[in-house]
Amino acid sequence: MNEKTATLKKDFLFGLWQNVPPFRLMLGLCASLAVTGMARNSLAMALSVAFVLIGSNVAVSALRRFVPDSVRIPVFVVIIATFVTIVDLFLRGWFPPLSKAMGPYVPLIIVNCIILGRAEAFAFKNPVLNSLLDAVGHSLGYLWALLLIGCIRELLGYGSLFGIQVLGAWFQPWVIMILPPGAFLTLGAVLGFFNLVSRRR
Amino acid sequence: MLKEIVLLMLGSILINNFVFAYFLGTCPYLGVTDKLSSSLSLGAATTFVMTLTAPIVWLINNYLLVRFNLIFLQNVTFILVIAVLVQLVEMFIRKTSPVLYRTLGIFLPLITTNCCILFLAILIPIREYSLVTSLFFGIGSGLGFMLALIIMAGIREELSLADIPPSLKGAPLTLILAGLIALSFMGFAGLL
């Protein structure tokens, strides 16, 4: 029992630091660049990815004995696409402005390599409970990574956080941070910093 | 008509470049741009698939999904079309041109998960392109992706011997370079 809890804990923590998707795996970068102009959009994107990742990991893991090896990738893609459609329609129905702000990047979650990567590398080989925890761990890892980038860009680009003005009138917004180049520069700098920290350890 | 097509091509290559304006295909962008030759192959393969995808998606969307009121199936259908198409292209190239097949190698199947292609498919109904304009939109976007790959590969080949801080090596440096290139590409915005 103890051993089992230990593996569960390990599976959960793996995605939180050791395997943080955008920084360690270099996966799911499109979304982490495109919608992180504001912290609110980052949060929405991370939660959408979390829903799809958890749903698809559990579904893939539950179906792993019934899916033949040779057609597993198309099956994964259809499962993922179904969950993404649920998210897309949900956002369109309940949060139209948010859905508009993220635009076509919501359907793009289908080709977010993190989700297919976890399905292939973990969920297809492990029991449902472990896969669930693996998905939750990676979702939280993705969440903090996206929030970090979103907060940096919004703070420097608008002087606000989650739409609330934080920096005073003296602050001259760095317009570049909300434009495409700012996304690349921020992610590059954060990644460099992350490497520096993990090197020191 | 001709003017519209030229503007669309120029726009999708330079101004709305998939990599620099929409951040698409970032994963292969970081992965393969350390060599000019592999960038060229990946760029060519992607352009090829995009050119085929655009009109096929247009036909399926207008004659199947819209007609039978199945628009909510768009995402699922498009990704399946792309996966099937990539598979067919792979089989076709393997049979007809083994040399090209060997050059493209692993990049061909990976194109399925390149977000450029799905984004292209999703944009076609949103922007209400016609069959012809969607074809040229596909070609232009593919060429834009290829241009981005080639520029970055050229720079990275030059940088391979440069003395850069160890924690910035690889992906961080590539992203910062991409930021600078994106900045210069913003200058094209006033072109049209």
Side-chain angles (χ1 to χ4, degrees), chain A residues 29-30 34 105 107 176 180 184 195, chain B residues 20 22-23 30 115 122 167 183:
Chain A
L29 289 170
C30 307
Y105 290 102
I176 185 86
F184 285 115
N195 285 349
Chain B
F20 298 130
Y22 296 127
F23 317 102
L30 294 180
C115 26
I122 292 168
S167 35
L183 196 60

Side-chain angles (χ1 to χ4, degrees), chain A residues 118-140:
Chain A
R118 285 336 282 168
E120 167 80 7
F122 196 90
F124 198 59
K125 297 173 199 137
N126 287 287
V128 175
L129 192 58
N130 295 59
S131 306
L132 174 72
L133 285 174
D134 178 75
V136 174
H138 278 84
S139 304
L140 288 176

Side-chain angles (χ1 to χ4, degrees), chain A residues 26 29-30 33-34 77 81 85 88 104-105 107-108 110-111 113 116 176 179-181 183-185 187-188 191-192 195-196 199, chain B residues 19-20 22-27 30 72 75-76 79 112-113 115 118-119 122 166-168 171-172 175-176 178-179 182-183 186:
Chain A
M26 305 306 299
L29 289 170
C30 307
L33 290 165
V77 171
T85 306
D88 196 13
Y105 290 102
L108 277 193
I110 300 175
V111 281
C113 340
L116 195 61
I176 185 86
L179 295 172
F184 285 115
L185 295 176
L187 186 60
L191 223 80
N195 285 349
L196 195 69
R199 210 171 258 276
Chain B
V19 177
F20 298 130
Y22 296 127
F23 317 102
L24 299 166
T26 323
C27 310
L30 294 180
F72 66 95
N75 300 342
V76 183
I79 190 72
T112 314
T113 50
C115 26
L118 187 63
F119 194 82
I122 292 168
S167 35
L168 282 182
L175 282 165
I176 292 171
L183 196 60
M186 278 172 64

Side-chain angles (χ1 to χ4, degrees), chain B residues 122-188:
Chain B
I122 292 168
L123 272 191
I124 284 170
I126 293 180
R127 295 212 179 145
E128 296 171 346
Y129 286 127
S130 73
L131 184 57
V132 179
T133 44
S134 62
L135 172 69
F136 282 98
F137 180 54
I139 299 176
S141 307
L143 289 178
F145 183 63
M146 194 159 145
L147 178 71
L149 284 174
I150 292 171
I151 293 176
M152 180 57 82
I155 297 177
R156 280 182 74 179
E157 279 196 348
E158 292 294 318
L159 274 178
S160 57
L161 292 177
D163 182 26
I164 42 176
S167 35
L168 282 182
K169 261 194 186 124
L173 185 74
T174 314
L175 282 165
I176 292 171
L177 281 175
L180 296 177
I181 302 173
L183 196 60
S184 59
F185 263 64
M186 278 172 64
F188 287 121

